[in-house]
């Protein structure tokens, strides 16, 4: 008799384990539909355009100096050559530093979006009592799509 009750209890426990509430979320859709992502992209484009403008000005100055040196021909002094090389190196350094700064800014802003997404998923999952939330592409069948709810939650946090 004890064996039957233990088996029945095990069957009930295993059946409840299969009754887990599963949610699925499309993180790419969240990322691209989130309004703050669009603002971040626009700001980064503006910063990139400003960088391009500054770079073009510096390149024009360097090209002008190069033409002046070429016009002098053999009368160019070593100090003038060195000054030109230094300006060219400074321009290269400016480009590298500006690109690194822009990339760092981009990564920081995108990390903020990722954190907002994670927090919104957690909040929706807890509020709706989901046992598991998976990426939509990881689940072939089943689960409830909570992407729209998560997006609404993300928009609230702006």
């Amino acid at each position: 008799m004890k064996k039957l009750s233990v088996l029945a209890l095990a069957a009930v426990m295993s059946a409840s384990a299969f009754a887990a509430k599963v949610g699925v979320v499309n993180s790419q859709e969240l990322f691209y539909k989130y309004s703050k992502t669009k603002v971040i992209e626009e700001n980064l484009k503006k910063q990139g355009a400003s960088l391009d403008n500054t770079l073009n000005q510096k390149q024009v100055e360097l090209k002008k100096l190069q033409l002046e040196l070429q016009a002098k021909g053999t009368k160019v002094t070593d100090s003038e050559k060195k000054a030109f090389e230094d300006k060219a190196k400074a321009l290269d350094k400016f480009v590298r530093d500006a690109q690194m700064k822009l990339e760092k800014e981009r990564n920081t802003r995108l990390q903020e979006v990722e954190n907002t997404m994670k927090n919104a998923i957690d909040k929706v999952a807890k509020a709706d009592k989901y046992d598991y939330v998976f990426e939509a592409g990881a689940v072939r069948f089943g689960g409830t799509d909570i992407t729209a709810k998560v997006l609404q939650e993300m928009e609230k946090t702006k």
Side-chain angles (χ1 to χ4, degrees):
M1 189 68 160
K2 283 187 177 183
K3 286 184 181 181
L4 279 177
S5 62
V6 170
L7 286 174
L9 180 62
V12 169
M13 288 176 60
S14 65
S16 66
F18 288 112
K21 191 171 178 183
V22 177
V24 294
V25 66
N26 185 334
S27 58
Q28 285 185 335
E29 181 180 336
L30 288 174
F31 183 81
Y32 288 109
K33 285 188 176 180
Y34 182 43
S35 61
K36 191 172 180 181
T37 303
K38 295 170 187 168
V39 171
I40 290 169
E41 287 176 352
E42 288 173 12
N43 288 341
L44 289 172
K45 281 182 185 178
K46 287 178 186 175
Q47 288 178 1
S50 175
L51 173 63
D52 286 344
N53 189 22
T54 304
L55 178 60
N56 287 338
Q57 289 174 352
K58 290 182 180 283
Q59 285 176 331
V60 166
E61 291 172 15
L62 192 62
K63 186 69 173 173
K64 183 178 176 183
L65 182 58
Q66 181 183 19
L67 291 174
E68 288 173 6
L69 292 177
Q70 286 176 344
K72 286 185 175 183
T74 58
K75 297 178 183 178
V76 177
T77 64
D78 288 339
S79 63
E80 288 173 325
K81 287 180 184 178
K82 174 121 174 67
F84 177 77
E85 289 171 4
D86 290 344
K87 284 191 177 194
K89 287 178 184 177
L91 179 61
D92 286 342
K93 183 179 181 333
F94 171 78
V95 170
R96 283 192 311 275
D97 291 348
Q99 286 174 339
M100 284 176 43
K101 181 182 175 187
L102 194 60
E103 188 64 26
K104 185 177 180 181
E105 177 73 16
R106 180 180 185 277
N107 290 339
T108 300
R109 298 295 168 228
L110 295 181
Q111 185 63 46
E112 290 173 9
V113 172
E114 251 183 69
N115 290 339
T116 300
M117 187 185 319
K118 180 190 174 304
N119 292 336
I121 290 169
D122 289 348
K123 191 169 184 177
V124 169
K126 287 177 184 173
D128 292 350
K129 297 182 178 155
Y130 284 95
D131 297 311
Y132 304 100
V133 176
F134 295 104
E135 178 62 39
V139 178
R140 290 192 182 260
F141 179 77
T144 304
D145 189 355
I146 61 171
T147 304
K149 282 185 178 182
V150 173
L151 183 59
Q152 286 176 340
E153 188 61 40
M154 287 173 69
E155 294 295 347
K156 286 181 188 176
T157 62
K158 292 194 303 185

